Amino acid sequence: MTMTNRKGASALPLNTILAGDCIEIMNSLPENSIDLIFADPPYNLQLKGELHRPDNSRVDAVDDHWDQFSSFAAYDRFTQDWLAAARRLLKPNGAIWVIGSYHNIFRVGASLQNQGFWILNDVIWRKSNPMPNFRGKRFTNAHETMIWASKSEGAKYTFNYEALKALNEGIQMRSDWVLPICNGGERLKDDNGDKAHPTQKPESLLHRVLVGSTNPGDVVLDPFFGTGTTGAVAKMLGRDFIGIEREAAYRKVAQKRLDGVRKFDREALQVSASKRAEPRIPFGQLVERGMLRPGEELYSMNGRFKAKVRADGTLVGNDVKGSIHQVGAAMEGAPSCNGWTYWAYKQGDQMVPIDLLRQKIRAELAN
Amino acid sequence: MTMTNRKGASALPLNTILAGDCIEIMNSLPENSIDLIFADPPYNLQLKGELHRPDNSRVDAVDDHWDQFSSFAAYDRFTQDWLAAARRLLKPNGAIWVIGSYHNIFRVGASLQNQGFWILNDVIWRKSNPMPNFRGKRFTNAHETMIWASKSEGAKYTFNYEALKALNEGIQMRSDWVLPICNGGERLKDDNGDKAHPTQKPESLLHRVLVGSTNPGDVVLDPFFGTGTTGAVAKMLGRDFIGIEREAAYRKVAQKRLDGVRKFDREALQVSASKRAEPRIPFGQLVERGMLRPGEELYSMNGRFKAKVRADGTLVGNDVKGSIHQVGAAMEGAPSCNGWTYWAYKQGDQMVPIDLLRQKIRAELAN
DNA sequence: GGTTATATTGAATCTCTAC
DNA sequence: AGTAGAGATTCAATATAAC
């Protein structure tokens, strides 16, 4: 078992599968120590009798003993208990994902809100190849719901907006994700060749969750580890994981799976970063460095306005003085304005946005 | 006001809009008399400040008084009260639909279950043209959730399986529906030319609901009638409706709308048949799905260049980072480049164009 | 009249840092 | 803790204007 020290000092059993009840084990771990929790709790499915396909073959439904709850009240108690334990573990800026279906997700969502978690999105996993509804009595149950929540309102959760936008070829990622269910070679089998776990989640789903809401080196906890999809993807992506699983059979399959996973190389783990993460360059530096001279004129990109650079890095034009942002906003009569992309200078006949000069400085700083 | 006698004998104010508080009015109507309830209750959005688009225009938010609740507890009481009144009205084999967002739907779902309703499906309305996330801080909120429930477990609810299958070009209807939001000519305007209601639902949505879960002659109740989409579609489809609406302004717009609706409007039927476009497959999906691994190398089909795949679906090579198209263009010094046909991966000795992987996903989605 | 830019808008829990 | 200022941020569908 790898133990490690983090700021705050308590030891975490990183990259291991812990055996036992998830509530007890979570309560034994140090508080405020986890960056992200991904949880796929039992679904409280209430299949009465057996289900048969039209050809009379039996559908292998989720009917394991761990999925039977006597009542909604019992399920609520269970949910509240494991959520409270999870909440204690999360760092103040940590976040949680919970996946479920209509059988349980409404109760989970209400409990999350009641405990002070702040819902950021509900995300729909739209299955591209779901099991059809054999009886034709309802809609094909073709999706599951995930809730993404921060520990509390106003917390600074991690969201790699640009990386997800890149994953989606330049268009911001929506709350509905179209991904296939886990089958084929990815679906783990037990020694009899049967599926090892009834609800194994696809790695593609966890890839998107972890790329979007964690950074390399973060600690990801999965209290219902199952066959370890969360751990496998975390390892690939250079995140640390902690798994908790009660059933020995699942732990065995998961450990074997994890042993076979390789981490992607460092360069591949770099993702597109947001501008917010880049160092801040005051406009005055452009003047100090002589990239723009006091007295030089700047022009709005829409060609409608101009202003003059002053020695202290402010602008003046149309009786307005102030920062590049303030003067731009005043000219447009707008509540705010990004001066970096609003203003340009003249180079011969060309209009060059001043943001290019900032980029030049940033490139210098990077070397 | 049309009054009519049904088996059970009590009079129902069919095809009218009742003015007042929906709980009081529902309690004044005869029990076990309604076939279907469609409810679009307040979402309790809890908006804080103002929001501006990147172009500085202001978003016209839903800040109406009817959406304000002091706490989750207050919202829960309201939900339990109107659901109890609705439940009393439903025939034993009646059913209910409730639509909501993550702000309220989990509380609604839990209350439904607590009161003995039996959830049949949760259905996702995937908006083809949602409002984007302007600040890049969350996923585009691109869907709303509907819960479909029978009055109790084992009830013989109405489900027109074949009609829905026909609506869906012969394929079983799934639990996710892609439909555009209500705009254009369908969006009702007030006398000033502004939108008459902040959250008018599209007729296509109600069309699918009513075709699927009612029969001609059924009575459909909408306790939050608004501009009367439920009534308009019910009238077109030959169902009777009862609307309840507290705000006089909404009632006025709705009545005018209803007066203009003809039964079996052909055009409306066509609106509901959504066209299927060829799905766009972002390159990132090949990475998420494990068809290509982060760190793997791609080669240009002309054999001159190579680049490495990153975890967010971008490429990196020769100091250039970006999409498959951007990096291809940069390497060739070309203004643009179709990365799908430009790049290939190695399979043994073979070079396989990545477009083949995209075709594989498309074929999967067609099923 | 027809085609091409430009403007508007939609159920939204939508920033971060320094003072 | 609250405030002020820097500065980052959008997709699809209509409607209207311009050419």
Side-chain angles (χ1 to χ4, degrees):
Chain A
M1 184 181 286
T2 316
M3 301 292 260
T4 203
N5 278 320
R6 307 240 151 200
K7 46 181 166 170
S10 298
L12 283 176
L14 295 182
N15 306 312
T16 56
I17 310 173
L18 307 177
D21 173 70
C22 75
I23 297 171
E24 281 173 33
I25 292 182
M26 283 195 277
N27 283 334
S28 75
L29 293 173
E31 61 180 353
N32 299 322
S33 60
I34 303 291
D35 295 292
L36 190 83
I37 293 175
F38 183 91
D40 182 11
Y43 278 25
N44 194 26
L45 292 185
Q46 292 154 331
L47 285 182
K48 295 277 160 44
E50 292 191 345
L51 187 59
H52 290 83
R53 295 192 179 88
D55 66 2
N56 245 357
S57 63
R58 185 177 166 278
V59 174
D60 185 13
V62 177
D63 55 4
D64 297 275
H65 64 90
W66 50 259
D67 219 1
Q68 306 303 322
F69 285 86
S70 56
S71 66
F72 287 128
Y75 192 79
D76 288 346
R77 272 195 302 279
F78 163 73
T79 301
Q80 284 156 19
D81 289 349
W82 78 257
L83 278 178
R87 187 172 167 73
R88 181 185 149 274
L89 286 187
L90 275 184
K91 293 180 185 172
N93 291 330
I96 187 170
W97 288 80
V98 189
I99 184 167
S101 69
Y102 66 82
H103 304 88
N104 70 327
I105 199 65
F106 304 118
R107 317 203 73 87
V108 169
S111 283
L112 276 166
Q113 291 178 313
N114 291 344
Q115 296 203 11
F117 288 98
W118 192 247
I119 298 182
L120 299 167
N121 279 111
D122 59 335
V123 172
I124 302 305
W125 168 28
R126 197 257 186 191
K127 303 177 186 180
S128 50
N129 45 357
M131 181 161 61
N133 185 293
F134 294 110
R135 287 177 174 159
K137 304 304 270 183
R138 303 184 185 191
F139 297 97
T140 305
N141 210 342
H143 74 275
E144 291 188 31
T145 299
M146 292 187 289
I147 301 174
W148 174 41
S150 60
K151 189 167 180 178
S152 57
E153 185 181 358
K156 291 185 182 124
Y157 56 90
T158 298
F159 184 56
N160 295 318
Y161 176 75
E162 292 294 341
L164 289 166
K165 193 171 168 181
L167 262 181
N168 200 29
E169 260 188 9
I171 293 167
Q172 68 178 203
M173 190 72 80
R174 299 166 39 118
S175 60
D176 56 327
W177 302 356
V178 181
L179 295 169
I181 60 174
C182 180
N183 55 14
E186 191 185 322
R187 187 89 199 209
L188 298 173
K189 304 281 195 279
D190 64 19
D191 298 335
N192 300 325
D194 300 324
K195 56 189 175 192
H197 191 280
T199 64
Q200 185 184 339
K201 297 293 174 287
E203 294 185 0
S204 57
L205 193 73
L206 271 295
H207 182 99
R208 199 174 285 186
V209 166
L210 295 185
V211 165
S213 56
T214 63
N215 293 311
D218 278 2
V219 179
V220 179
L221 171 78
D222 186 334
F224 306 98
F225 202 58
T227 53
T229 305
T230 303
V233 178
K235 186 173 176 186
M236 288 177 205
L237 291 175
R239 277 73 168 163
D240 287 318
F241 70 88
I242 300 172
I244 306 175
E245 177 53 52
R246 210 167 50 176
E247 307 285 331
Y250 296 155
R251 289 199 303 272
K252 185 181 159 196
V253 174
Q255 190 59 58
K256 187 175 162 200
R257 172 189 198 175
L258 288 164
D259 293 339
V261 167
R262 282 177 310 123
K263 180 179 162 180
F264 299 140
D265 64 52
R266 229 185 89 250
E267 196 181 15
L269 293 182
Q270 300 281 321
V271 297
S272 314
S274 138
K275 271 193 188 166
R276 272 185 251 263
E278 304 212 50
R280 193 168 206 172
I281 311 291
F283 176 71
Q285 272 204 28
L286 274 53
V287 185
E288 287 175 337
R289 294 188 173 211
M291 299 168 118
L292 293 171
R293 285 164 317 137
E296 190 166 351
E297 282 193 320
L298 298 187
Y299 302 85
S300 67
M301 291 292 282
N302 59 24
R304 274 193 271 249
F305 301 101
K306 62 180 181 178
K308 206 171 268 191
V309 176
R310 303 203 296 177
D312 63 352
T314 56
L315 298 188
V316 57
N318 277 8
D319 286 340
V320 190
K321 294 170 200 166
S323 71
I324 51 172
H325 315 293
Q326 289 169 329
V327 175
M331 300 220 163
E332 295 292 330
S336 73
C337 168
N338 183 346
W340 288 107
T341 51
Y342 181 76
W343 296 106
Y345 67 99
K346 265 198 185 149
Q347 195 168 49
D349 277 352
Q350 285 242 313
M351 297 276 277
V352 184
I354 59 173
D355 200 40
L356 237 69
L357 300 174
R358 181 170 64 161
Q359 283 169 32
K360 213 174 270 183
I361 296 179
R362 280 189 177 148
E364 252 172 54
L365 292 177
N367 298 334
Chain B
M1 185 181 285
T2 318
M3 302 292 260
T4 201
N5 278 320
R6 305 243 150 194
K7 46 184 163 168
S10 298
L12 281 177
L14 293 183
N15 306 313
T16 56
I17 310 174
L18 307 178
D21 173 71
C22 74
I23 297 171
E24 282 173 31
I25 293 182
M26 283 196 278
N27 283 335
S28 76
L29 294 173
E31 62 180 353
N32 299 323
S33 60
I34 303 291
D35 294 292
L36 190 83
I37 293 176
F38 183 90
D40 182 9
Y43 287 9
N44 190 23
L45 287 190
Q46 312 164 72
L47 301 178
K48 298 285 185 323
E50 290 206 325
L51 179 64
H52 290 88
R53 299 185 182 79
D55 66 1
N56 275 322
S57 62
R58 188 179 148 277
V59 174
D60 184 16
V62 179
D63 52 5
D64 305 76
H65 63 91
W66 47 254
D67 198 44
Q68 313 293 327
F69 292 84
S70 58
S71 64
F72 282 132
Y75 188 80
D76 288 345
R77 274 194 301 277
F78 162 74
T79 301
Q80 284 154 20
D81 288 349
W82 78 256
L83 279 178
R87 187 171 167 76
R88 179 184 151 274
L89 287 187
L90 277 184
K91 294 179 183 172
N93 290 331
I96 188 170
W97 288 80
V98 189
I99 184 167
S101 67
Y102 67 84
H103 309 84
N104 71 324
I105 199 65
F106 303 118
R107 317 200 76 86
V108 169
S111 282
L112 276 165
Q113 291 178 314
N114 291 346
Q115 297 202 10
F117 288 99
W118 192 251
I119 298 182
L120 300 166
N121 279 111
D122 58 337
V123 172
I124 304 304
W125 169 27
R126 301 170 61 207
K127 303 178 183 183
S128 55
N129 49 350
M131 184 161 68
N133 185 291
F134 296 117
R135 295 307 180 108
K137 302 309 292 181
R138 302 183 178 193
F139 298 98
T140 310
N141 210 344
H143 74 275
E144 293 188 26
T145 300
M146 294 188 290
I147 301 175
W148 175 41
S150 60
K151 188 168 182 178
S152 56
E153 186 183 358
K156 294 195 166 66
Y157 55 90
T158 297
F159 184 58
N160 296 318
Y161 176 77
E162 291 298 338
L164 288 168
K165 195 168 165 181
L167 257 184
N168 200 30
E169 292 169 7
I171 299 163
Q172 193 172 77
M173 187 73 82
R174 304 168 41 116
S175 58
D176 60 311
W177 303 353
V178 181
L179 296 169
I181 61 175
C182 180
N183 59 10
E186 191 187 323
R187 189 89 194 206
L188 298 172
K189 305 283 194 278
D190 63 19
D191 297 335
N192 300 326
D194 299 322
K195 59 188 175 193
H197 191 282
T199 70
Q200 186 183 339
K201 296 292 174 289
E203 294 185 359
S204 57
L205 194 73
L206 269 296
H207 182 94
R208 204 173 280 188
V209 166
L210 295 185
V211 165
S213 56
T214 64
N215 292 311
D218 277 2
V219 179
V220 179
L221 171 77
D222 186 336
F224 307 97
F225 202 57
T227 53
T229 306
T230 303
V233 178
K235 186 172 175 186
M236 288 175 202
L237 293 175
R239 276 72 167 165
D240 287 319
F241 71 87
I242 300 172
I244 307 176
E245 177 52 53
R246 211 167 47 173
E247 308 283 330
Y250 299 156
R251 289 199 303 271
K252 185 180 159 195
V253 175
Q255 190 58 59
K256 188 175 162 200
R257 172 189 197 173
L258 287 163
D259 294 340
V261 168
R262 286 172 302 121
K263 185 175 160 179
F264 294 126
D265 189 319
R266 277 265 171 91
E267 201 179 5
L269 288 172
Q270 282 163 0
V271 165
S272 66
S274 57
K275 359 149 181 148
R276 273 200 225 171
E278 178 118 50
R280 194 179 58 89
I281 311 293
F283 175 72
Q285 275 210 20
L286 308 192
V287 183
E288 288 178 326
R289 293 184 175 207
M291 298 168 121
L292 294 171
R293 294 168 47 91
E296 189 166 353
E297 283 190 321
L298 298 186
Y299 303 85
S300 66
M301 290 295 281
N302 59 24
R304 272 193 276 246
F305 301 102
K306 63 180 182 177
K308 204 174 266 192
V309 176
R310 302 202 298 176
D312 64 351
T314 55
L315 298 188
V316 55
N318 280 6
D319 286 338
V320 190
K321 295 170 199 166
S323 72
I324 51 172
H325 315 294
Q326 289 169 330
V327 174
M331 298 218 163
E332 296 292 333
S336 70
C337 165
N338 182 350
W340 287 108
T341 51
Y342 180 77
W343 296 106
Y345 67 100
K346 266 198 186 150
Q347 195 167 47
D349 278 351
Q350 286 241 312
M351 297 276 278
V352 183
I354 59 174
D355 200 40
L356 238 70
L357 299 175
R358 179 167 69 159
Q359 285 167 30
K360 209 176 272 182
I361 294 180
R362 284 225 171 104
E364 225 176 73
L365 291 178
N367 299 332

